[in-house]
Amino acid sequence: DVKVTQSSRYLVKRTGEKVFLECVQDMDHENMFWYRQDPGLGLRLIYFSYDVKMKEKGDIPEGYSVSREKKERFSLILESASTNQTSMYLCASSSPGLAGLKTQYFGPGTRLLVL
Amino acid sequence: KNQVEQSPQSLIILEGKNCTLQCNYTVSPFSNLRWYKQDTGRGPVSLTIMTFSENTKSNGRYTATLDADTKQSSLHITASQLSDSASYICVVISVIYNFNKFYFGSGTKLNVKP
């Protein structure tokens, strides 16, 4: 069974804090993704990575950065959290090759509240 | 503009009944279309993946259809169970020069009542 785990299910942070969201997958997947999910908007891609130390911006990268130092771990960083970053954050991974043809496996999500 | 629209936004049905969820898209070029089920508080789980040449695909009581000409897909749930209560998300994938783009619908929230 593919397992994608995220470091926290719930997080409460203050405006201006630096926030780290961690994602780990155990299937040796090359591709990893970070999304945010907001009511009525669906999932929106923040960043993705197709290899260690490689990263690509998604649709809404502003205010976020990522780190992929090891294949199994993909971190999302909010440099200075703001209230409009309150959201559900979902990590996903998929096996190598054309990512569009590979099933994405999602983690359980981290619900972040920024006060 | 590439978009994925799902309807209805929410749906309540009685246990044992069938239902059909709709997905219309304007994404081009089209690579494949997926349906995901997302239980409350959990990440989405893949139900079906359909490429251009596939019209129907089943996964147990879930049957997805695709009409690539009209750019419409549906997810039919047969003999619904309480555990089918979830959000169902339609995703259309576009591939251009090996670059993949995922377009997510905002989901249909299904509530199955006893």
Side-chain angles (χ1 to χ4, degrees), chain A residues 9 33 35 37 40-44 48 56 59 88 90 98-109, chain B residues 9 31-32 34 36 38 40-46 49 51 89 93 95 98-102 104-107:
Chain A
R9 293 302 303 273
F33 309 79
Y35 295 91
Q37 185 177 31
L41 293 178
L43 276 78
R44 291 180 291 166
F48 67 97
E56 292 285 342
D59 298 315
M88 167 76 105
L90 286 159
L98 215 53
L101 295 176
K102 302 293 181 179
T103 297
Q104 287 190 321
Y105 297 89
F106 284 84
Chain B
Q9 210 168 18
S31 172
N32 62 87
R34 305 170 185 197
Y36 282 86
Q38 184 176 20
T40 302
R42 299 193 153 212
V45 174
S46 180
I49 300 178
T51 58
I89 301 170
I93 292 86
V95 180
N98 275 2
F99 182 76
N100 306 281
K101 190 122 169 95
F102 293 75
F104 288 81
S106 54

mmCIF file of all heavy atoms in Angstrom, chain A residues 9 33 35 37 40-44 48 56 59 88 90 98-109, chain B residues 9 31-32 34 36 38 40-46 49 51 89 93 95 98-102 104-107:
data_model
loop_
_atom_site.group_PDB
_atom_site.id
_atom_site.type_symbol
_atom_site.label_atom_id
_atom_site.label_comp_id
_atom_site.label_asym_id
_atom_site.label_seq_id
_atom_site.Cartn_x
_atom_site.Cartn_y
_atom_site.Cartn_z
ATOM 1 N N ARG A 9 -1.939 17.020 11.333
ATOM 2 C CA ARG A 9 -3.311 17.075 10.800
ATOM 3 C C ARG A 9 -3.903 18.469 10.976
ATOM 4 O O ARG A 9 -4.652 18.940 10.130
ATOM 5 C CB ARG A 9 -4.196 16.052 11.513
ATOM 6 C CG ARG A 9 -3.837 14.603 11.246
ATOM 7 C CD ARG A 9 -3.891 14.251 9.761
ATOM 8 N NE ARG A 9 -5.182 14.524 9.157
ATOM 9 C CZ ARG A 9 -6.200 13.684 9.147
ATOM 10 N NH1 ARG A 9 -6.099 12.500 9.723
ATOM 11 N NH2 ARG A 9 -7.323 13.993 8.550
ATOM 12 N N PHE A 33 3.853 16.597 -4.973
ATOM 13 C CA PHE A 33 3.044 17.794 -5.218
ATOM 14 C C PHE A 33 2.538 18.378 -3.903
ATOM 15 O O PHE A 33 2.270 17.654 -2.960
ATOM 16 C CB PHE A 33 1.802 17.439 -6.057
ATOM 17 C CG PHE A 33 2.079 16.663 -7.314
ATOM 18 C CD1 PHE A 33 2.322 15.296 -7.267
ATOM 19 C CD2 PHE A 33 2.079 17.297 -8.548
ATOM 20 C CE1 PHE A 33 2.571 14.574 -8.430
ATOM 21 C CE2 PHE A 33 2.329 16.579 -9.713
ATOM 22 C CZ PHE A 33 2.570 15.229 -9.653
ATOM 23 N N TYR A 35 -0.688 20.897 -2.779
ATOM 24 C CA TYR A 35 -1.902 21.596 -3.165
ATOM 25 C C TYR A 35 -2.487 22.293 -1.941
ATOM 26 O O TYR A 35 -2.255 21.883 -0.815
ATOM 27 C CB TYR A 35 -2.966 20.604 -3.659
ATOM 28 C CG TYR A 35 -2.646 19.857 -4.919
ATOM 29 C CD1 TYR A 35 -2.006 18.618 -4.877
ATOM 30 C CD2 TYR A 35 -3.008 20.365 -6.159
ATOM 31 C CE1 TYR A 35 -1.744 17.907 -6.038
ATOM 32 C CE2 TYR A 35 -2.747 19.658 -7.329
ATOM 33 C CZ TYR A 35 -2.112 18.438 -7.254
ATOM 34 O OH TYR A 35 -1.853 17.738 -8.408
ATOM 35 N N GLN A 37 -6.516 23.362 -0.697
ATOM 36 C CA GLN A 37 -7.909 23.108 -1.031
ATOM 37 C C GLN A 37 -8.780 24.040 -0.225
ATOM 38 O O GLN A 37 -8.753 24.031 1.010
ATOM 39 C CB GLN A 37 -8.277 21.651 -0.725
ATOM 40 C CG GLN A 37 -9.669 21.264 -1.156
ATOM 41 C CD GLN A 37 -9.972 19.790 -0.908
ATOM 42 O OE1 GLN A 37 -9.458 19.196 0.038
ATOM 43 N NE2 GLN A 37 -10.781 19.194 -1.765
ATOM 44 N N GLY A 40 -15.228 25.571 -2.544
ATOM 45 C CA GLY A 40 -15.692 26.184 -3.783
ATOM 46 C C GLY A 40 -14.619 26.417 -4.823
ATOM 47 O O GLY A 40 -14.925 26.783 -5.963
ATOM 48 N N LEU A 41 -13.363 26.194 -4.464
ATOM 49 C CA LEU A 41 -12.266 26.451 -5.413
ATOM 50 C C LEU A 41 -11.586 25.183 -5.884
ATOM 51 O O LEU A 41 -10.808 25.198 -6.828
ATOM 52 C CB LEU A 41 -11.223 27.374 -4.783
ATOM 53 C CG LEU A 41 -11.654 28.798 -4.492
ATOM 54 C CD1 LEU A 41 -10.531 29.572 -3.824
ATOM 55 C CD2 LEU A 41 -12.082 29.502 -5.782
ATOM 56 N N GLY A 42 -11.832 24.076 -5.239
ATOM 57 C CA GLY A 42 -11.146 22.848 -5.620
ATOM 58 C C GLY A 42 -9.693 22.881 -5.207
ATOM 59 O O GLY A 42 -9.234 23.789 -4.507
ATOM 60 N N LEU A 43 -8.938 21.907 -5.656
ATOM 61 C CA LEU A 43 -7.510 21.858 -5.352
ATOM 62 C C LEU A 43 -6.739 22.761 -6.302
ATOM 63 O O LEU A 43 -7.007 22.783 -7.509
ATOM 64 C CB LEU A 43 -6.979 20.434 -5.493
ATOM 65 C CG LEU A 43 -7.153 19.506 -4.305
ATOM 66 C CD1 LEU A 43 -8.579 18.984 -4.234
ATOM 67 C CD2 LEU A 43 -6.175 18.355 -4.374
ATOM 68 N N ARG A 44 -5.785 23.464 -5.758
ATOM 69 C CA ARG A 44 -4.914 24.309 -6.587
ATOM 70 C C ARG A 44 -3.463 23.953 -6.300
ATOM 71 O O ARG A 44 -3.063 23.843 -5.142
ATOM 72 C CB ARG A 44 -5.183 25.789 -6.283
ATOM 73 C CG ARG A 44 -6.561 26.267 -6.751
ATOM 74 C CD ARG A 44 -6.774 27.726 -6.432
ATOM 75 N NE ARG A 44 -6.913 27.956 -4.996
ATOM 76 C CZ ARG A 44 -6.845 29.147 -4.422
ATOM 77 N NH1 ARG A 44 -6.639 30.222 -5.158
ATOM 78 N NH2 ARG A 44 -6.999 29.266 -3.120
ATOM 79 N N PHE A 48 5.391 21.649 -7.399
ATOM 80 C CA PHE A 48 5.643 20.223 -7.527
ATOM 81 C C PHE A 48 7.127 19.981 -7.780
ATOM 82 O O PHE A 48 7.880 20.906 -8.108
ATOM 83 C CB PHE A 48 4.760 19.580 -8.601
ATOM 84 C CG PHE A 48 5.055 20.019 -10.007
ATOM 85 C CD1 PHE A 48 5.860 19.253 -10.834
ATOM 86 C CD2 PHE A 48 4.495 21.182 -10.526
ATOM 87 C CE1 PHE A 48 6.112 19.633 -12.138
ATOM 88 C CE2 PHE A 48 4.747 21.567 -11.825
ATOM 89 C CZ PHE A 48 5.554 20.801 -12.632
ATOM 90 N N GLU A 56 9.204 22.947 -9.348
ATOM 91 C CA GLU A 56 8.548 23.761 -10.356
ATOM 92 C C GLU A 56 7.376 24.483 -9.713
ATOM 93 O O GLU A 56 6.669 23.901 -8.885
ATOM 94 C CB GLU A 56 8.012 22.890 -11.502
ATOM 95 C CG GLU A 56 9.075 22.227 -12.357
ATOM 96 C CD GLU A 56 9.752 23.198 -13.291
ATOM 97 O OE1 GLU A 56 9.192 24.281 -13.531
ATOM 98 O OE2 GLU A 56 10.860 22.862 -13.783
ATOM 99 N N ASP A 59 0.308 26.729 -9.850
ATOM 100 C CA ASP A 59 -0.562 27.846 -10.220
ATOM 101 C C ASP A 59 -0.536 29.001 -9.220
ATOM 102 O O ASP A 59 -0.762 30.151 -9.582
ATOM 103 C CB ASP A 59 -2.014 27.350 -10.359
ATOM 104 C CG ASP A 59 -2.127 26.311 -11.447
ATOM 105 O OD1 ASP A 59 -1.546 26.525 -12.531
ATOM 106 O OD2 ASP A 59 -2.772 25.269 -11.218
ATOM 107 N N MET A 88 -6.687 24.035 3.775
ATOM 108 C CA MET A 88 -6.291 22.631 3.886
ATOM 109 C C MET A 88 -5.166 22.410 2.883
ATOM 110 O O MET A 88 -5.317 22.746 1.697
ATOM 111 C CB MET A 88 -7.486 21.728 3.550
ATOM 112 C CG MET A 88 -7.106 20.282 3.321
ATOM 113 S SD MET A 88 -6.750 19.407 4.841
ATOM 114 C CE MET A 88 -8.241 18.451 4.980
ATOM 115 N N LEU A 90 -2.723 19.719 0.985
ATOM 116 C CA LEU A 90 -2.636 18.312 0.624
ATOM 117 C C LEU A 90 -1.350 18.047 -0.144
ATOM 118 O O LEU A 90 -1.014 18.767 -1.079
ATOM 119 C CB LEU A 90 -3.826 17.909 -0.246
ATOM 120 C CG LEU A 90 -5.159 17.778 0.484
ATOM 121 C CD1 LEU A 90 -6.303 17.884 -0.482
ATOM 122 C CD2 LEU A 90 -5.234 16.455 1.225
ATOM 123 N N LEU A 98 5.484 10.028 -17.230
ATOM 124 C CA LEU A 98 4.575 11.124 -17.509
ATOM 125 C C LEU A 98 3.576 11.248 -16.367
ATOM 126 O O LEU A 98 2.681 10.440 -16.201
ATOM 127 C CB LEU A 98 3.850 10.827 -18.819
ATOM 128 C CG LEU A 98 3.523 12.014 -19.716
ATOM 129 C CD1 LEU A 98 4.779 12.825 -19.987
ATOM 130 C CD2 LEU A 98 2.946 11.530 -21.031
ATOM 131 N N ALA A 99 3.760 12.299 -15.566
ATOM 132 C CA ALA A 99 2.938 12.419 -14.352
ATOM 133 C C ALA A 99 1.462 12.455 -14.676
ATOM 134 O O ALA A 99 0.633 12.034 -13.884
ATOM 135 C CB ALA A 99 3.344 13.661 -13.562
ATOM 136 N N GLY A 100 1.121 12.957 -15.866
ATOM 137 C CA GLY A 100 -0.290 13.038 -16.215
ATOM 138 C C GLY A 100 -0.963 11.700 -16.375
ATOM 139 O O GLY A 100 -2.185 11.592 -16.364
ATOM 140 N N LEU A 101 -0.173 10.639 -16.534
ATOM 141 C CA LEU A 101 -0.752 9.316 -16.712
ATOM 142 C C LEU A 101 -0.611 8.453 -15.476
ATOM 143 O O LEU A 101 -0.969 7.289 -15.482
ATOM 144 C CB LEU A 101 -0.083 8.615 -17.903
ATOM 145 C CG LEU A 101 -0.326 9.276 -19.264
ATOM 146 C CD1 LEU A 101 0.452 8.562 -20.344
ATOM 147 C CD2 LEU A 101 -1.805 9.295 -19.602
ATOM 148 N N LYS A 102 -0.065 9.027 -14.420
ATOM 149 C CA LYS A 102 0.163 8.247 -13.212
ATOM 150 C C LYS A 102 -0.818 8.666 -12.120
ATOM 151 O O LYS A 102 -1.079 9.855 -11.935
ATOM 152 C CB LYS A 102 1.597 8.475 -12.706
ATOM 153 C CG LYS A 102 2.663 8.112 -13.721
ATOM 154 C CD LYS A 102 2.712 6.634 -13.990
ATOM 155 C CE LYS A 102 3.812 6.304 -14.987
ATOM 156 N NZ LYS A 102 3.896 4.864 -15.247
ATOM 157 N N THR A 103 -1.293 7.684 -11.398
ATOM 158 C CA THR A 103 -2.202 7.984 -10.292
ATOM 159 C C THR A 103 -1.473 8.764 -9.218
ATOM 160 O O THR A 103 -0.354 8.425 -8.845
ATOM 161 C CB THR A 103 -2.746 6.680 -9.693
ATOM 162 O OG1 THR A 103 -3.508 6.010 -10.684
ATOM 163 C CG2 THR A 103 -3.632 6.964 -8.490
ATOM 164 N N GLN A 104 -2.112 9.797 -8.718
ATOM 165 C CA GLN A 104 -1.571 10.544 -7.594
ATOM 166 C C GLN A 104 -2.117 9.952 -6.306
ATOM 167 O O GLN A 104 -3.316 9.686 -6.197
ATOM 168 C CB GLN A 104 -1.962 12.020 -7.684
ATOM 169 C CG GLN A 104 -1.210 12.785 -8.752
ATOM 170 C CD GLN A 104 -1.440 14.275 -8.635
ATOM 171 O OE1 GLN A 104 -2.532 14.720 -8.348
ATOM 172 N NE2 GLN A 104 -0.405 15.047 -8.891
ATOM 173 N N TYR A 105 -1.235 9.766 -5.357
ATOM 174 C CA TYR A 105 -1.632 9.285 -4.035
ATOM 175 C C TYR A 105 -1.522 10.450 -3.066
ATOM 176 O O TYR A 105 -0.466 11.074 -2.956
ATOM 177 C CB TYR A 105 -0.737 8.125 -3.602
ATOM 178 C CG TYR A 105 -0.868 6.927 -4.503
ATOM 179 C CD1 TYR A 105 -0.057 6.790 -5.626
ATOM 180 C CD2 TYR A 105 -1.808 5.939 -4.248
ATOM 181 C CE1 TYR A 105 -0.180 5.705 -6.473
ATOM 182 C CE2 TYR A 105 -1.939 4.836 -5.089
ATOM 183 C CZ TYR A 105 -1.125 4.730 -6.200
ATOM 184 O OH TYR A 105 -1.250 3.656 -7.038
ATOM 185 N N PHE A 106 -2.618 10.713 -2.389
ATOM 186 C CA PHE A 106 -2.673 11.879 -1.527
ATOM 187 C C PHE A 106 -2.453 11.521 -0.062
ATOM 188 O O PHE A 106 -2.825 10.443 0.402
ATOM 189 C CB PHE A 106 -4.032 12.568 -1.654
ATOM 190 C CG PHE A 106 -4.191 13.367 -2.918
ATOM 191 C CD1 PHE A 106 -4.590 12.764 -4.101
ATOM 192 C CD2 PHE A 106 -3.920 14.735 -2.926
ATOM 193 C CE1 PHE A 106 -4.729 13.494 -5.268
ATOM 194 C CE2 PHE A 106 -4.062 15.480 -4.088
ATOM 195 C CZ PHE A 106 -4.470 14.870 -5.260
ATOM 196 N N GLY A 107 -1.869 12.468 0.660
ATOM 197 C CA GLY A 107 -1.790 12.364 2.106
ATOM 198 C C GLY A 107 -3.109 12.785 2.729
ATOM 199 O O GLY A 107 -4.031 13.206 2.028
ATOM 200 N N PRO A 108 -3.225 12.694 4.054
ATOM 201 C CA PRO A 108 -4.489 12.991 4.732
ATOM 202 C C PRO A 108 -4.795 14.487 4.833
ATOM 203 O O PRO A 108 -5.915 14.861 5.168
ATOM 204 C CB PRO A 108 -4.300 12.387 6.128
ATOM 205 C CG PRO A 108 -2.829 12.425 6.334
ATOM 206 C CD PRO A 108 -2.203 12.193 4.992
ATOM 207 N N GLY A 109 -3.809 15.317 4.563
ATOM 208 C CA GLY A 109 -4.047 16.755 4.620
ATOM 209 C C GLY A 109 -3.637 17.371 5.951
ATOM 210 O O GLY A 109 -3.644 16.713 6.994
ATOM 211 N N GLN B 9 -23.553 20.791 -6.964
ATOM 212 C CA GLN B 9 -22.576 21.133 -5.935
ATOM 213 C C GLN B 9 -22.716 20.190 -4.743
ATOM 214 O O GLN B 9 -21.734 19.784 -4.121
ATOM 215 C CB GLN B 9 -22.816 22.571 -5.487
ATOM 216 C CG GLN B 9 -21.576 23.295 -5.030
ATOM 217 C CD GLN B 9 -21.840 24.782 -4.878
ATOM 218 O OE1 GLN B 9 -22.989 25.223 -4.794
ATOM 219 N NE2 GLN B 9 -20.790 25.553 -4.822
ATOM 220 N N SER B 31 -5.605 14.858 -21.972
ATOM 221 C CA SER B 31 -4.833 13.623 -21.840
ATOM 222 C C SER B 31 -5.682 12.532 -21.175
ATOM 223 O O SER B 31 -5.875 11.470 -21.731
ATOM 224 C CB SER B 31 -3.569 13.854 -21.018
ATOM 225 O OG SER B 31 -2.933 12.618 -20.739
ATOM 226 N N ASN B 32 -6.163 12.833 -19.976
ATOM 227 C CA ASN B 32 -7.031 11.860 -19.310
ATOM 228 C C ASN B 32 -7.884 12.564 -18.254
ATOM 229 O O ASN B 32 -7.641 13.724 -17.920
ATOM 230 C CB ASN B 32 -6.228 10.706 -18.704
ATOM 231 C CG ASN B 32 -5.259 11.150 -17.633
ATOM 232 O OD1 ASN B 32 -5.607 11.245 -16.468
ATOM 233 N ND2 ASN B 32 -4.017 11.411 -18.022
ATOM 234 N N ARG B 34 -9.957 11.938 -14.450
ATOM 235 C CA ARG B 34 -10.002 11.094 -13.261
ATOM 236 C C ARG B 34 -11.139 11.521 -12.359
ATOM 237 O O ARG B 34 -11.503 12.691 -12.299
ATOM 238 C CB ARG B 34 -8.699 11.233 -12.473
ATOM 239 C CG ARG B 34 -7.503 10.946 -13.319
ATOM 240 C CD ARG B 34 -6.234 11.302 -12.636
ATOM 241 N NE ARG B 34 -5.117 11.110 -13.561
ATOM 242 C CZ ARG B 34 -3.859 11.022 -13.195
ATOM 243 N NH1 ARG B 34 -3.540 11.109 -11.926
ATOM 244 N NH2 ARG B 34 -2.910 10.857 -14.093
ATOM 245 N N TYR B 36 -12.016 11.265 -8.266
ATOM 246 C CA TYR B 36 -11.490 10.973 -6.945
ATOM 247 C C TYR B 36 -12.627 11.027 -5.931
ATOM 248 O O TYR B 36 -13.579 11.810 -6.078
ATOM 249 C CB TYR B 36 -10.443 12.013 -6.523
ATOM 250 C CG TYR B 36 -9.072 11.849 -7.130
ATOM 251 C CD1 TYR B 36 -8.771 12.406 -8.372
ATOM 252 C CD2 TYR B 36 -8.073 11.167 -6.468
ATOM 253 C CE1 TYR B 36 -7.510 12.275 -8.924
ATOM 254 C CE2 TYR B 36 -6.800 11.036 -7.013
ATOM 255 C CZ TYR B 36 -6.532 11.590 -8.233
ATOM 256 O OH TYR B 36 -5.278 11.461 -8.779
ATOM 257 N N GLN B 38 -13.211 11.838 -1.900
ATOM 258 C CA GLN B 38 -12.532 12.417 -0.741
ATOM 259 C C GLN B 38 -13.458 12.361 0.467
ATOM 260 O O GLN B 38 -14.458 13.083 0.530
ATOM 261 C CB GLN B 38 -12.098 13.856 -1.013
ATOM 262 C CG GLN B 38 -11.292 14.465 0.123
ATOM 263 C CD GLN B 38 -10.772 15.858 -0.178
ATOM 264 O OE1 GLN B 38 -11.293 16.546 -1.059
ATOM 265 N NE2 GLN B 38 -9.763 16.284 0.542
ATOM 266 N N THR B 40 -14.422 13.080 4.355
ATOM 267 C CA THR B 40 -14.216 14.274 5.173
ATOM 268 C C THR B 40 -12.934 14.133 5.991
ATOM 269 O O THR B 40 -12.722 13.126 6.662
ATOM 270 C CB THR B 40 -15.417 14.491 6.111
ATOM 271 O OG1 THR B 40 -16.597 14.607 5.312
ATOM 272 C CG2 THR B 40 -15.245 15.756 6.931
ATOM 273 N N GLY B 41 -12.076 15.156 5.927
ATOM 274 C CA GLY B 41 -10.851 15.137 6.713
ATOM 275 C C GLY B 41 -9.758 14.248 6.168
ATOM 276 O O GLY B 41 -8.746 14.016 6.844
ATOM 277 N N ARG B 42 -9.922 13.765 4.940
ATOM 278 C CA ARG B 42 -8.906 12.884 4.346
ATOM 279 C C ARG B 42 -8.501 13.378 2.970
ATOM 280 O O ARG B 42 -9.171 14.219 2.371
ATOM 281 C CB ARG B 42 -9.461 11.466 4.226
ATOM 282 C CG ARG B 42 -9.834 10.877 5.568
ATOM 283 C CD ARG B 42 -10.073 9.421 5.469
ATOM 284 N NE ARG B 42 -9.799 8.798 6.763
ATOM 285 C CZ ARG B 42 -9.335 7.595 6.921
ATOM 286 N NH1 ARG B 42 -9.067 6.848 5.882
ATOM 287 N NH2 ARG B 42 -9.140 7.097 8.110
ATOM 288 N N GLY B 43 -7.410 12.830 2.464
ATOM 289 C CA GLY B 43 -6.993 13.170 1.113
ATOM 290 C C GLY B 43 -7.808 12.412 0.080
ATOM 291 O O GLY B 43 -8.398 11.378 0.373
ATOM 292 N N PRO B 44 -7.850 12.913 -1.158
ATOM 293 C CA PRO B 44 -8.600 12.233 -2.229
ATOM 294 C C PRO B 44 -7.994 10.872 -2.565
ATOM 295 O O PRO B 44 -6.782 10.687 -2.475
ATOM 296 C CB PRO B 44 -8.464 13.191 -3.419
ATOM 297 C CG PRO B 44 -8.077 14.501 -2.833
ATOM 298 C CD PRO B 44 -7.282 14.193 -1.610
ATOM 299 N N VAL B 45 -8.854 9.953 -2.967
ATOM 300 C CA VAL B 45 -8.434 8.615 -3.382
ATOM 301 C C VAL B 45 -8.963 8.377 -4.782
ATOM 302 O O VAL B 45 -10.132 8.629 -5.065
ATOM 303 C CB VAL B 45 -8.974 7.540 -2.417
ATOM 304 C CG1 VAL B 45 -8.651 6.152 -2.949
ATOM 305 C CG2 VAL B 45 -8.385 7.722 -1.028
ATOM 306 N N SER B 46 -8.084 7.889 -5.661
ATOM 307 C CA SER B 46 -8.461 7.697 -7.056
ATOM 308 C C SER B 46 -9.513 6.606 -7.215
ATOM 309 O O SER B 46 -9.397 5.523 -6.650
ATOM 310 C CB SER B 46 -7.211 7.337 -7.870
ATOM 311 O OG SER B 46 -7.533 7.146 -9.224
ATOM 312 N N ILE B 49 -9.465 6.269 -13.860
ATOM 313 C CA ILE B 49 -8.696 7.089 -14.804
ATOM 314 C C ILE B 49 -9.163 6.700 -16.201
ATOM 315 O O ILE B 49 -9.193 5.518 -16.535
ATOM 316 C CB ILE B 49 -7.182 6.851 -14.685
ATOM 317 C CG1 ILE B 49 -6.672 7.195 -13.292
ATOM 318 C CG2 ILE B 49 -6.429 7.670 -15.737
ATOM 319 C CD1 ILE B 49 -5.187 6.920 -13.116
ATOM 320 N N THR B 51 -8.743 7.555 -20.404
ATOM 321 C CA THR B 51 -8.062 8.256 -21.488
ATOM 322 C C THR B 51 -9.062 8.555 -22.600
ATOM 323 O O THR B 51 -10.226 8.161 -22.538
ATOM 324 C CB THR B 51 -6.900 7.412 -22.036
ATOM 325 O OG1 THR B 51 -7.422 6.153 -22.483
ATOM 326 C CG2 THR B 51 -5.868 7.160 -20.949
ATOM 327 N N ILE B 89 -14.474 14.380 -6.760
ATOM 328 C CA ILE B 89 -13.741 15.409 -7.488
ATOM 329 C C ILE B 89 -13.386 14.897 -8.876
ATOM 330 O O ILE B 89 -12.856 13.781 -9.027
ATOM 331 C CB ILE B 89 -12.455 15.796 -6.730
ATOM 332 C CG1 ILE B 89 -12.803 16.313 -5.330
ATOM 333 C CG2 ILE B 89 -11.669 16.854 -7.503
ATOM 334 C CD1 ILE B 89 -11.593 16.499 -4.439
ATOM 335 N N ILE B 93 -6.570 16.121 -16.923
ATOM 336 C CA ILE B 93 -5.124 16.307 -17.086
ATOM 337 C C ILE B 93 -4.814 16.646 -18.526
ATOM 338 O O ILE B 93 -5.293 16.006 -19.465
ATOM 339 C CB ILE B 93 -4.355 15.055 -16.651
ATOM 340 C CG1 ILE B 93 -4.463 14.861 -15.135
ATOM 341 C CG2 ILE B 93 -2.875 15.171 -17.015
ATOM 342 C CD1 ILE B 93 -5.664 14.115 -14.687
ATOM 343 N N VAL B 95 -1.523 17.414 -21.167
ATOM 344 C CA VAL B 95 -0.084 17.203 -21.305
ATOM 345 C C VAL B 95 0.404 17.922 -22.558
ATOM 346 O O VAL B 95 -0.070 17.646 -23.659
ATOM 347 C CB VAL B 95 0.256 15.705 -21.405
ATOM 348 C CG1 VAL B 95 1.765 15.516 -21.553
ATOM 349 C CG2 VAL B 95 -0.242 14.959 -20.173
ATOM 350 N N ASN B 98 5.392 17.116 -22.688
ATOM 351 C CA ASN B 98 5.774 16.420 -21.451
ATOM 352 C C ASN B 98 5.486 17.214 -20.188
ATOM 353 O O ASN B 98 5.846 16.790 -19.099
ATOM 354 C CB ASN B 98 7.260 16.067 -21.462
ATOM 355 C CG ASN B 98 7.504 14.754 -22.171
ATOM 356 O OD1 ASN B 98 6.568 14.136 -22.671
ATOM 357 N ND2 ASN B 98 8.744 14.342 -22.210
ATOM 358 N N PHE B 99 4.905 18.367 -20.303
ATOM 359 C CA PHE B 99 4.536 19.146 -19.128
ATOM 360 C C PHE B 99 3.076 18.838 -18.805
ATOM 361 O O PHE B 99 2.205 18.960 -19.644
ATOM 362 C CB PHE B 99 4.719 20.639 -19.388
ATOM 363 C CG PHE B 99 4.390 21.494 -18.206
ATOM 364 C CD1 PHE B 99 5.271 21.577 -17.140
ATOM 365 C CD2 PHE B 99 3.196 22.192 -18.149
ATOM 366 C CE1 PHE B 99 4.960 22.361 -16.043
ATOM 367 C CE2 PHE B 99 2.886 22.974 -17.057
ATOM 368 C CZ PHE B 99 3.761 23.065 -16.003
ATOM 369 N N ASN B 100 2.846 18.438 -17.544
ATOM 370 C CA ASN B 100 1.513 18.027 -17.133
ATOM 371 C C ASN B 100 0.819 19.122 -16.359
ATOM 372 O O ASN B 100 1.417 19.738 -15.487
ATOM 373 C CB ASN B 100 1.615 16.800 -16.225
ATOM 374 C CG ASN B 100 2.409 15.705 -16.881
ATOM 375 O OD1 ASN B 100 1.905 15.003 -17.725
ATOM 376 N ND2 ASN B 100 3.682 15.582 -16.516
ATOM 377 N N LYS B 101 -0.455 19.325 -16.660
ATOM 378 C CA LYS B 101 -1.223 20.308 -15.911
ATOM 379 C C LYS B 101 -2.520 19.627 -15.458
ATOM 380 O O LYS B 101 -3.200 18.972 -16.240
ATOM 381 C CB LYS B 101 -1.549 21.496 -16.805
ATOM 382 C CG LYS B 101 -2.131 22.668 -16.054
ATOM 383 C CD LYS B 101 -1.273 23.900 -16.249
ATOM 384 C CE LYS B 101 -2.019 25.120 -15.710
ATOM 385 N NZ LYS B 101 -1.657 25.441 -14.362
ATOM 386 N N PHE B 102 -2.803 19.805 -14.174
ATOM 387 C CA PHE B 102 -3.984 19.193 -13.584
ATOM 388 C C PHE B 102 -5.041 20.261 -13.354
ATOM 389 O O PHE B 102 -4.770 21.283 -12.742
ATOM 390 C CB PHE B 102 -3.634 18.551 -12.236
ATOM 391 C CG PHE B 102 -2.705 17.371 -12.346
ATOM 392 C CD1 PHE B 102 -1.355 17.545 -12.603
ATOM 393 C CD2 PHE B 102 -3.181 16.082 -12.173
ATOM 394 C CE1 PHE B 102 -0.502 16.453 -12.709
ATOM 395 C CE2 PHE B 102 -2.333 14.986 -12.268
ATOM 396 C CZ PHE B 102 -0.994 15.176 -12.533
ATOM 397 N N PHE B 104 -8.632 20.806 -11.581
ATOM 398 C CA PHE B 104 -9.534 20.186 -10.612
ATOM 399 C C PHE B 104 -10.895 20.878 -10.617
ATOM 400 O O PHE B 104 -10.979 22.110 -10.630
ATOM 401 C CB PHE B 104 -8.952 20.294 -9.199
ATOM 402 C CG PHE B 104 -7.772 19.402 -8.947
ATOM 403 C CD1 PHE B 104 -6.500 19.772 -9.363
ATOM 404 C CD2 PHE B 104 -7.926 18.198 -8.282
ATOM 405 C CE1 PHE B 104 -5.406 18.951 -9.130
ATOM 406 C CE2 PHE B 104 -6.839 17.368 -8.042
ATOM 407 C CZ PHE B 104 -5.589 17.746 -8.467
ATOM 408 N N GLY B 105 -11.946 20.078 -10.589
ATOM 409 C CA GLY B 105 -13.262 20.633 -10.316
ATOM 410 C C GLY B 105 -13.399 20.896 -8.825
ATOM 411 O O GLY B 105 -12.570 20.442 -8.022
ATOM 412 N N SER B 106 -14.408 21.640 -8.445
ATOM 413 C CA SER B 106 -14.575 21.984 -7.027
ATOM 414 C C SER B 106 -15.330 20.911 -6.259
ATOM 415 O O SER B 106 -15.514 21.026 -5.048
ATOM 416 C CB SER B 106 -15.249 23.347 -6.873
ATOM 417 O OG SER B 106 -16.449 23.358 -7.595
ATOM 418 N N GLY B 107 -15.765 19.857 -6.959
ATOM 419 C CA GLY B 107 -16.325 18.698 -6.269
ATOM 420 C C GLY B 107 -17.833 18.722 -6.107
ATOM 421 O O GLY B 107 -18.474 19.778 -6.154
#
